[in-house]
């Protein structure tokens, strides 16, 4: 007889999920009457921008329509004209709830901004969708307004009726039905009292959420002990049967009667692979005020008498902080997804996620708006928690005031770091505390759009090695308007590891028959907004803990993902608005430039192989001097790469980012001297001249990105006397092995070295003897043909 032990909370969770699916189907068949809203002239300023660092061409045939959602997914038409009406909405308990319904009537072509030109978006969107808001508050309760969501999801209610029994039959068993019951009375309440959580790490404080009840602060600690989710496809039974233990495998159909058996990791109860359309949730605590500044993502305007204050407060966040504070923290924004996205199907049983915001001295209004956008527009059963990681902020409003405000949201936890750690280590701290299946990292000045979460989780559900990013729309730093970004964008980098955005070439889009809703392979992620399977994150070694504060972490994790078996994608059906700031409002513990340079050098040494010389050659030769910068110990990261059996950087260039120009040397081949008409050759460790012959390997030299003239492992070097030449073992850290070539406009064909025969640096040029019998250094002469050298092939200047 099988003994079944199931957590009542888990049973309720499963029942809730099934109820949500049923109610979703019911809602499709029900029509809810809304009230009309009086006309108000709202004209939407939404623009379409394309940031492009590549050579991709823009195509009108791939323009996307802009859809605006305001509690009900609909297509934005520009003007919102509310009208009063006596219609009412019926509340969940038979009471009446008055509502308002904004109807969009006027047609405004949305502007598309590209290279300073505005063009109207094609195919105007019909004004068929209407917005609804609820305005009823009854007996002190605030009625939530919502967007096309089942009631159980909108209000996060468990089923009020007692479900008698739910039976599931074990696969392969003829008897013994498993019964699920709903008995909430057996659930334990959280203990109260001031104590740190068991998961607190050194230097990390997990702040308990403070509840407010009748004006009195009551500290409530959530129970640290949480039962792991048991997949409904796995049933645990206990095995005490000798023969079954020896066999290591069990046949449920032939279990001895009366003996408990333990069946581990067996999918004996199959979960239905149900699908549903992406949920366009937009749940708010109160009905929105359609007159509010910045509502619907509109541009806000600073009054003339407040412009001085606006300018003065700019430095608080390096965006218009004054306007941000006038805008509601739960404002509506336009639905910028491609039209097909709302019809996409996703699985019913997606993994849960922990959303992690890391911040230091973030502006109050933008931090709150970020959190509200996640809570309002994420399916509750998928949002495990929201973690706010405070990287030792100094602002008073981010301390007790923030604790009190967030106490109203049970899913929000605050983690405070006792010392400034920087973004990278703050994210590691948040990941260590996360309880969701998926880690979703977001910047603390964003606004998540409707339907943003499920498309991300769906890709991870299908392949846990994918790392997915939303399309990052723009929130204007000047007027806080929400601006659409082209869907065919991907993250790239240029040398020396500088991140940028590039539009996919039009011919590539046509060749691949791509739709504007299709996922896009992304060579490098921006790094601020992405989702990754938690276990996979740690399998990859998480972030390199040797990286400081901020900078280069997106390059490091991008190379690691691609080269070690994963993929990065941008998901156009997931949209998140982001304020792009010109400067960081916070201070770096050390010099910012040196911090970023050190991080990039660390990434180059671990992941770029021989191409690290390309990185150093683009203005970072000074980083090769160990006296200038110490990149730290790289042993652990190199061993990790070997353990994961990661591919080479050349593989990455060939298969992931073939568009990048990355010649491993600047020039190669024969080194021809114009004066002697002969080529440089290496014989028995000494330099000499020979008649040029491409077939002779001793005449082949490379001119590297770190400015060395080398043949195999040996480099051309001046003797200490300042005139003679020799060959020396190559070492990129030694400045005396470097030669300038094609870098001096006055002496473009010369090979120029810096020598210090008497402790004083001076520049001299390599010269061939008139009789082609020697090579030596001499004062540079622009007119001497014996000082002019040419390589057979040049790949970069």
């Amino acid at each position: 007889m099988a003994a079944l032990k199931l957590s009542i909370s888990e049973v309720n969770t499963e029942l809730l999920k099934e109820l949500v699916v049923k109610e979703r189907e019911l809602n499709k068949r029900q029509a809810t009457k809304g009230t009309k809203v009086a006309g108000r002239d709202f004209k939407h300023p939404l623009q379409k921008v394309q940031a492009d660092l590549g050579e991709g061409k823009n195509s009108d045939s791939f323009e996307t329509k802009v859809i605006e959602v305001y509690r009900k997914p609909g297509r934005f038409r520009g003007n919102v004209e509310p009208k009063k009406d006596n219609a009412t909405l019926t509340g969940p308990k038979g009471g009446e709830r008055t509502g308002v319904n904004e109807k969009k009537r006027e047609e405004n072509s949305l502007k598309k901004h590209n290279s300073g030109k505005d063009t109207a978006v094609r195919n105007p969107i019909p004004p068929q969708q209407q917005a609804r808001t609820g305005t009823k508050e009854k007996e002190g309760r605030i009625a939530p307004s919502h967007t096309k969501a089942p009631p159980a999801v909108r209000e996060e209610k468990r089923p009020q009726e007692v479900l008698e029994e739910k039976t599931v039959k074990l696969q392969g068993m003829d008897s013994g039905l498993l019964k699920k019951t709903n008995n909430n009375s057996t659930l334990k309440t959280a203990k109260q009292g001031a104590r740190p959580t068991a998961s607190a790490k050194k230097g990390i404080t997990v702040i308990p959420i403070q509840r407010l009840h009748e004006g009195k602060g009551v500290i409530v600690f959530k129970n640290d002990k949480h039962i792991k989710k048991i997949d409904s496809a796995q049933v645990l039974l206990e095995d005490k049967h000798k023969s079954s233990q020896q066999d290591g495998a069990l046949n449920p159909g032939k279990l001895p009667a009366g003996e408990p058996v333990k069946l581990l990791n067996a999918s004996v109860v199959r979960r239905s692979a149900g699908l549903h359309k992406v949920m366009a949730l937009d749940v708010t605590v109160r009905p929105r005020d359609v007159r509010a500044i910045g509502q619907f993502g509109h541009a806000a305007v600073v009054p003339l008498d407040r412009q001085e204050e606006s300018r003065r407060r700019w430095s608080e966040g390096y965006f218009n902080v004054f306007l941000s504070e006038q805008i509601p923290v739960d404002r509506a924004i336009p639905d910028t997804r491609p039209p097909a996205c709302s019809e996409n199907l996703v699985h019913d049983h997606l993994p849960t996620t922990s959303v992690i915001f890391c911040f230091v001295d973030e502006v109050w209004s933008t931090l709150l708006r970020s959190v509200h956008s996640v809570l309002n527009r994420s399916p509750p059963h998928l949002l495990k928690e929201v973690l706010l990681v405070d990287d030792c902020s100094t602002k008073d409003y981010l301390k007790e005031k923030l604790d009190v405000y967030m106490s109203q949201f049970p899913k929000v936890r605050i983690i405070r770091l006792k010392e400034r750690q920087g973004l990278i280590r703050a994210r590691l701290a948040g990941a260590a505390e996360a309880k969701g299946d998926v880690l979703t990292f977001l910047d603390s000045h964003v606004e998540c759009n409707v339907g943003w979460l499920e498309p991300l989780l769906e890709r991870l559900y299908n392949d846990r090695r994918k790392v997915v990013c939303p399309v990052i729309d723009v929130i204007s730093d000047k007027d806080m308007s929400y601006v659409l970004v082209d869907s065919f964008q991907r993250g790239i980098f240029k040398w020396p590891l500088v991140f940028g955005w590039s539009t996919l070439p039009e011919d590539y889009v046509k060749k691949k028959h791509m739709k504007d809703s299709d996922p896009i392979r992304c060579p490098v992620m921006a790094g601020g907004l992405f989702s990754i399977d938690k276990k996979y994150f740690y399998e990859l070694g998480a972030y390199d803990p040797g990286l400081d504060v901020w900078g280069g972490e997106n390059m490091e994790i991008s190379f690691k993902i691609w080269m070690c078996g994963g993929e990065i994608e941008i998901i156009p059906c997931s949209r998140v608005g982001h304020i792009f700031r010109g400067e960081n409002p916070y201070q770096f513990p050390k010099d910012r430039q040196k911090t970023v340079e050190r991080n990039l050098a660390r990434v180059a040494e671990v992941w770029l192989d021989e191409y690290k010389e390309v990185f150093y050659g683009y203005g970072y030769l000074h980083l090769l001097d160990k006296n200038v910068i110490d990149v730290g110990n790289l042993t652990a990261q190199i061993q990790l790469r070997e353990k994961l059996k990661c591919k080479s950087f050349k593989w990455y260039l060939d298969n992931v980012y073939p568009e990048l120009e990355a010649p491993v040397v600047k020039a190669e081949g024969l080194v021809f001297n114009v004066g002697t008409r002969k080529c440089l050759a290496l014989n028995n460790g000494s330099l000499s001249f020979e008649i040029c012959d491409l077939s002779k390997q001793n005449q082949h030299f490379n001119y590297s990105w770190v400015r060395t003239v080398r043949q195999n492992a040996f480099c051309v070097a001046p003797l200490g006397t300042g005139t003679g030449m020799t060959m020396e073992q190559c070492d990129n850290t030694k400045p005396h092995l470097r030669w300038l070539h094609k870098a001096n406009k006055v002496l473009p064909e010369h090979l120029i070295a810096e020598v210090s025969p008497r402790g004083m640096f001076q520049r001299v040029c390599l010269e061939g003897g008139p009789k082609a019998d020697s090579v030596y250094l001499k004062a540079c002469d622009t007119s001497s043909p014996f000082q002019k050298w040419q390589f057979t092939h040049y790949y970069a200047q």
Side-chain angles (χ1 to χ4, degrees):
M1 187 68 182
L4 175 66
K5 297 179 180 179
L6 283 178
S7 167
I8 295 299
S9 62
E10 290 166 359
V11 173
N12 289 340
T13 299
E14 292 301 319
L15 294 176
L16 174 61
K17 290 180 180 178
E18 293 174 10
L19 185 63
V20 167
V21 175
K22 291 179 180 179
E23 289 181 343
R24 185 184 301 115
E25 296 299 326
L26 182 61
N27 276 5
K28 292 179 181 178
R29 299 191 297 268
Q30 291 178 339
T32 304
K33 294 184 179 180
T35 57
K36 298 181 180 179
V37 186
R40 299 186 186 94
D41 187 19
F42 283 108
K43 294 186 178 180
H44 199 285
L46 196 64
Q47 293 180 327
K48 183 176 178 182
V49 298
Q50 292 176 322
D52 187 7
L53 292 182
E55 298 179 356
K57 296 181 180 179
N58 199 21
S59 173
D60 290 339
S61 62
F62 295 101
E63 290 174 356
T64 57
K65 299 177 183 178
V66 180
I67 307 172
E68 203 278 346
V69 65
Y70 178 57
R71 291 184 203 82
K72 179 178 180 182
R75 298 182 174 178
F76 189 79
R77 297 298 303 151
N79 290 350
V80 179
E81 301 182 357
K83 287 187 177 181
K84 295 182 180 179
D85 201 338
N86 296 324
T88 58
L89 296 177
T90 303
K93 294 185 179 181
E96 291 186 342
R97 184 174 63 183
T98 61
V100 292
N101 188 2
E102 301 88 41
K103 191 171 183 180
K104 304 164 181 77
R105 292 184 176 180
E106 293 186 14
E107 294 188 6
N108 288 332
S109 295
L110 299 175
K111 296 181 180 179
K112 175 182 174 184
H113 177 71
N114 186 19
S115 303
K117 297 180 180 180
D118 290 335
T119 57
V121 177
R122 296 184 183 182
N123 302 326
I125 303 167
Q128 296 169 351
Q129 302 294 343
Q130 296 182 348
R132 296 196 304 252
T133 64
T135 59
K136 171 78 174 176
E137 292 187 16
K138 184 176 181 180
E139 299 177 356
R141 294 184 59 192
I142 301 173
S145 56
H146 45 80
T147 298
K148 197 179 180 180
V153 175
R154 293 196 295 261
E155 303 173 13
E156 295 187 74
K157 294 194 304 183
R158 295 188 180 277
Q160 295 181 3
E161 67 273 20
V162 178
L163 301 180
E164 297 293 335
E165 290 183 347
K166 187 170 183 68
T167 61
V168 184
K169 189 172 182 180
L170 287 173
Q171 179 186 4
M173 294 185 66
D174 297 329
S175 61
L177 296 179
L178 307 181
K179 298 183 179 180
K180 296 182 181 179
T181 60
N182 183 18
N183 185 0
N184 292 330
S185 64
T186 61
L187 299 178
K188 295 181 179 180
T189 58
K191 294 182 180 180
Q192 299 184 4
R195 61 176 180 82
T197 62
S199 59
K201 306 286 188 297
K202 183 180 179 181
I204 302 174
T205 303
V206 181
I207 302 299
I209 298 300
Q210 187 181 42
R211 307 277 181 243
L212 297 182
H213 182 64
E214 295 181 357
K216 298 180 180 179
V218 180
I219 298 179
V220 179
F221 289 90
K222 295 182 179 178
N223 194 350
D224 291 331
K225 297 179 181 178
H226 60 282
I227 303 172
K228 270 191 176 180
K229 274 194 172 181
I230 301 176
D231 193 332
S232 63
Q234 296 176 357
V235 178
L236 302 183
L237 302 174
E238 218 173 330
D239 179 13
K240 293 183 180 178
H241 194 266
K242 256 185 186 178
S243 60
S244 297
Q245 287 178 339
Q246 291 171 352
D247 293 340
L250 298 172
N251 184 350
K254 299 180 180 179
L255 296 177
E259 294 195 19
V261 180
K262 190 172 184 180
L263 187 60
L264 296 176
N265 299 324
S267 298
V268 291
V269 178
R270 295 181 183 273
R271 172 182 288 168
S272 64
L275 299 173
H276 66 272
K277 288 185 180 180
V278 172
M279 300 170 66
L281 292 178
D282 195 8
V283 182
T284 58
V285 175
R286 295 179 179 84
R288 291 191 175 104
D289 178 5
V290 295
R291 298 186 183 89
I293 295 175
Q295 194 67 273
F296 311 109
H298 292 176
V301 179
V302 180
L304 291 176
D305 59 341
R306 308 296 294 275
Q307 288 187 357
E308 179 59 34
E309 179 184 355
S310 174
R311 286 191 290 268
R312 176 172 49 82
R313 300 192 62 188
W314 180 275
S315 60
E316 293 180 22
Y318 287 100
F319 62 90
N320 201 324
V321 175
F322 171 81
L323 279 182
S324 178
E325 291 186 347
Q326 314 306 312
I327 295 172
V329 293
D330 62 350
R331 72 165 174 177
I333 55 176
D335 181 350
T336 55
R337 297 174 298 168
C341 296
S342 60
E343 301 300 317
N344 284 351
L345 298 178
V346 295
H347 286 84
D348 290 340
H349 300 283
L350 295 177
T352 62
T353 188
S354 295
V355 176
I356 301 172
F357 292 102
C358 298
F359 66 93
V360 56
D361 292 341
E362 182 60 77
V363 173
W364 173 262
S365 58
T366 49
L367 177 60
L368 266 55
R369 200 172 292 118
S370 301
V371 173
H372 275 281
S373 72
V374 170
L375 295 174
N376 293 355
R377 302 182 181 117
S378 304
H381 64 286
L382 299 179
L383 183 63
K384 185 73 173 180
E385 61 191 343
V386 176
L387 299 180
L388 303 182
V389 184
D390 178 9
D391 191 15
C392 201
S393 294
T394 59
K395 305 294 186 182
D396 289 338
Y397 61 75
L398 293 175
K399 297 177 183 178
E400 182 179 359
K401 181 180 177 181
L402 182 63
D403 296 340
V404 173
Y405 185 90
M406 291 302 168
S407 67
Q408 62 185 303
F409 306 115
K411 289 190 176 183
V412 178
R413 284 197 293 152
I414 299 175
I415 301 171
R416 299 199 184 276
L417 306 184
K418 295 180 180 179
E419 295 179 356
R420 179 73 189 284
Q421 297 294 326
L423 173 68
I424 298 165
R425 296 191 184 102
R427 283 186 169 179
L428 291 174
E433 293 290 332
K435 299 175 182 177
D437 306 317
V438 171
L439 305 175
T440 297
F441 295 102
L442 297 177
D443 283 344
S444 54
H445 34 273
V446 301
E447 291 179 63
C448 297
N449 218 313
V450 293
W452 76 283
L453 183 57
E454 286 182 302
L456 300 178
L457 299 181
E458 174 71 12
R459 299 299 287 178
L460 300 184
Y461 177 91
N462 293 324
D463 186 350
R464 63 184 292 268
R465 295 181 304 169
K466 288 185 184 294
V467 179
V468 290
C469 312
V471 169
I472 305 177
D473 288 332
V474 175
I475 300 173
S476 171
D477 58 343
K478 297 177 177 59
D479 59 23
M480 300 302 291
S481 60
Y482 193 100
V483 185
L484 167 68
V485 170
D486 187 85
S487 293
F488 293 111
Q489 298 279 337
R490 63 175 185 163
I492 62 166
F493 74 90
K494 300 288 188 183
W495 297 110
L497 299 184
V498 178
F499 177 82
W501 297 101
S502 176
T503 303
L504 288 175
E506 183 179 329
D507 56 350
Y508 178 86
V509 173
K510 290 182 178 179
K511 181 181 178 181
K512 299 292 184 180
H513 304 289
M514 292 183 64
K515 302 188 296 291
D516 57 2
S517 59
D518 289 343
I520 298 171
R521 281 164 55 96
C522 184
V524 177
M525 69 166 76
L529 298 77
F530 69 96
S531 294
I532 184 171
D533 180 270
K534 182 179 179 181
K535 292 181 180 178
Y536 185 54
F537 180 68
Y538 285 109
E539 287 171 14
L540 288 173
Y543 285 114
D544 173 7
L547 300 176
D548 285 337
V549 190
W550 174 90
E553 79 285 348
N554 61 324
M555 298 292 168
E556 189 260 350
I557 199 167
S558 295
F559 296 150
K560 185 188 297 184
I561 290 166
W562 279 112
M563 294 165 63
C564 304
E567 294 181 46
I568 302 174
E569 290 181 343
I570 290 179
I571 312 300
C573 287
S574 175
R575 319 287 289 210
V576 176
H578 179 271
I579 302 175
F580 289 91
R581 304 181 294 195
E583 298 181 48
N584 290 318
Y586 51 82
Q587 298 295 320
F588 278 65
K590 301 177 184 178
D591 181 84
R592 174 184 175 177
Q593 182 175 344
K594 289 182 179 179
T595 298
V596 174
E597 288 180 349
R598 177 190 176 277
N599 287 352
L600 291 176
R602 191 173 173 91
V603 173
E605 289 291 337
V606 175
W607 296 101
L608 299 194
D609 301 331
E610 67 271 24
Y611 291 89
K612 66 184 178 183
E613 292 189 357
V614 184
F615 163 76
Y616 288 120
Y618 273 87
Y620 285 133
L621 287 176
H622 63 282
L623 298 181
L624 292 169
D625 187 350
K626 303 304 179 185
N627 295 322
V628 173
I629 196 165
D630 179 15
V631 298
N633 193 325
L634 300 173
T635 304
Q637 293 303 302
I638 293 173
Q639 289 177 347
L640 173 66
R641 182 176 171 181
E642 294 173 353
K643 176 185 176 183
L644 295 176
K645 298 180 180 179
C646 303
K647 296 181 175 67
S648 67
F649 191 73
K650 186 178 187 309
W651 174 91
Y652 170 85
L653 293 176
D654 292 341
N655 295 274
V656 180
Y657 192 16
E659 300 86 358
L660 180 68
E661 294 184 5
V664 74
V665 294
K666 297 184 78 173
E668 67 175 356
L670 306 182
V671 185
F672 176 74
N673 183 267
V674 175
T676 63
R677 312 299 294 176
K678 291 186 178 181
C679 289
L680 205 60
L682 180 62
N683 293 302
N684 300 321
S686 299
L687 291 173
S688 61
F689 281 108
E690 292 181 355
I691 297 174
C692 298
D693 187 347
L694 280 170
S695 65
K696 290 187 175 182
Q697 292 300 311
N698 70 325
Q699 294 185 18
H700 283 255
F701 292 82
N702 292 332
Y703 181 59
S704 73
W705 285 93
V706 292
R707 300 179 182 174
T708 59
V709 179
R710 66 176 65 166
Q711 188 175 106
N712 299 323
F714 292 92
C715 290
V716 177
L719 288 173
T721 59
T723 58
M725 301 300 302
T726 186
M727 296 299 291
E728 192 175 309
Q729 189 82 23
C730 292
D731 185 345
N732 291 342
T733 65
K734 294 181 178 179
H736 74 276
L737 296 180
R738 297 171 191 162
W739 300 81
L740 283 174
H741 184 59
K742 296 290 186 181
N744 190 304
K745 293 181 179 180
V746 179
L747 305 168
E749 296 181 282
H750 292 55
L751 282 167
I752 308 169
E754 270 192 351
V755 295
S756 54
R758 296 181 181 85
M760 296 181 63
F761 284 97
Q762 61 180 8
R763 288 188 171 184
V764 292
C765 290
L766 185 65
E767 182 173 305
K771 297 181 180 179
D773 56 355
S774 60
V775 183
Y776 49 84
L777 294 174
K778 194 174 181 180
C780 295
D781 182 357
T782 58
S783 62
S784 173
F786 297 99
Q787 291 186 3
K788 295 181 179 180
W789 306 85
Q790 297 174 351
F791 285 82
T792 307
H793 303 289
Y794 286 91
Y795 303 107
Q797 297 298 319

